[in-house]
Amino acid sequence: MSLAVYGHPFSSYTQKVLIALYENGTPFEFRCIGPDTPQHSAEWLRRWPLRKFPLLLDGERDIAETSIIIEYLQLVHPGPVRLLPADPMAALEVRFLDRFFDLHVMNAAQHAVDGALTGDPVKRQEGLALAVQKLERAYAWLEGKLGGRTWAAGADFTLADCAAAPSLFYADWTHRISESFPVLRAYRARLLTRPSFARAVEEARPFRPLFPLGAPDRD
């Protein structure tokens, strides 16, 4: 087996890559980074000292950054589900939405998580307030963008949905998507029923106590 993924099941960005792998049934070895597997942590840091995961290992080739990893998989280890459209303009829309979910949903929620992890009540509140502000803007934009679409970019499940699934999953835990955004709520619900993401959610379930804002008793 040439492919290995260094990451953690509860990590949103790790889940993004796992979804892509599960969509195409791509065989790989998962090397969990944690206190019980110091050998994986050491090898991961040797290969990628910027201390970010996931990291894909293909033989001796290291591939970092989730969007690049997923595009690499399509180029080198393609499967039946094409996550980037062949048409360049359609692919551009998918890439844009991928960046939107990473930068304006996933990273926005991270402000609240980072604040909570400090253990400082003031920083916790400040982080949450910033996350709420940014997420409300993102939710409102997505509500209009996703109207009439099954998946983020249209009828087909793509890279954009790989990004959307974990970002909306954790964002909703951080700042609930309100009933005033029915299109977005329905889209998040569809993502949870997608077998690839449902598998990632189940694999991460034992780690829910790690969520510093308190994982809700749902999903």
Side-chain angles (χ1 to χ4, degrees), residues 74-196:
Q74 180 159 299
L75 290 170
V76 183
H77 299 278
V81 179
R82 187 179 180 93
L83 296 172
L84 265 296
D87 176 73
M89 291 304 294
L92 194 64
E93 171 76 353
V94 168
R95 289 188 179 98
F96 166 71
L97 289 166
D98 167 66
R99 303 317 305 134
F100 186 92
F101 284 112
D102 279 3
L103 297 174
H104 301 293
V105 180
M106 207 174 304
N107 286 2
Q110 192 65 41
H111 289 301
V113 171
D114 290 344
L117 287 173
T118 66
D120 182 326
V122 174
K123 290 182 179 178
R124 180 188 181 97
Q125 186 55 41
E126 289 175 347
L128 181 59
L130 181 57
V132 168
Q133 181 186 73
K134 290 188 172 187
L135 287 172
E136 275 293 308
R137 286 200 295 262
Y139 292 167
W141 185 85
L142 285 166
E143 182 70 13
K145 184 70 172 177
L146 298 176
R149 297 182 176 186
T150 301
W151 302 112
D156 297 325
F157 191 93
T158 68
L159 163 67
D161 302 291
C162 295
S167 64
L168 289 173
F169 182 77
Y170 288 114
D172 186 64
W173 283 10
T174 303
H175 174 56
R176 191 77 186 265
I177 302 170
S178 74
E179 286 75 11
S180 60
F181 303 122
V183 171
L184 185 58
R185 286 169 62 90
Y187 173 58
R188 182 181 183 273
R190 283 195 299 279
L191 288 167
L192 282 164
T193 65
R194 186 80 178 186
S196 58

Side-chain angles (χ1 to χ4, degrees), residues 5 9 66 69 91 135:
V5 174
T66 54
I69 290 171
L135 287 172

Side-chain angles (χ1 to χ4, degrees), residues 32-100:
C32 187
I33 296 170
D36 297 332
T37 53
Q39 73 280 13
H40 292 166
S41 298
E43 182 64 11
W44 162 60
L45 291 175
R46 184 184 73 80
R47 291 179 174 276
W48 191 233
L50 275 72
R51 310 180 73 86
K52 297 289 186 179
F53 52 71
L55 177 71
L56 178 70
L57 177 64
D58 188 3
E60 284 303 311
R61 175 180 285 173
D62 303 322
I63 304 96
E65 299 298 332
T66 54
S67 303
I68 303 302
I69 290 171
I70 293 172
E71 291 213 36
Y72 174 85
L73 288 170
Q74 180 159 299
L75 290 170
V76 183
H77 299 278
V81 179
R82 187 179 180 93
L83 296 172
L84 265 296
D87 176 73
M89 291 304 294
L92 194 64
E93 171 76 353
V94 168
R95 289 188 179 98
F96 166 71
L97 289 166
D98 167 66
R99 303 317 305 134
F100 186 92

Side-chain angles (χ1 to χ4, degrees), residues 16-31:
K16 178 180 169 181
V17 169
L18 291 177
I19 292 165
L21 289 161
Y22 294 158
E23 280 291 319
N24 280 304
T26 307
F28 70 99
E29 177 187 353
F30 187 71
R31 298 177 182 174

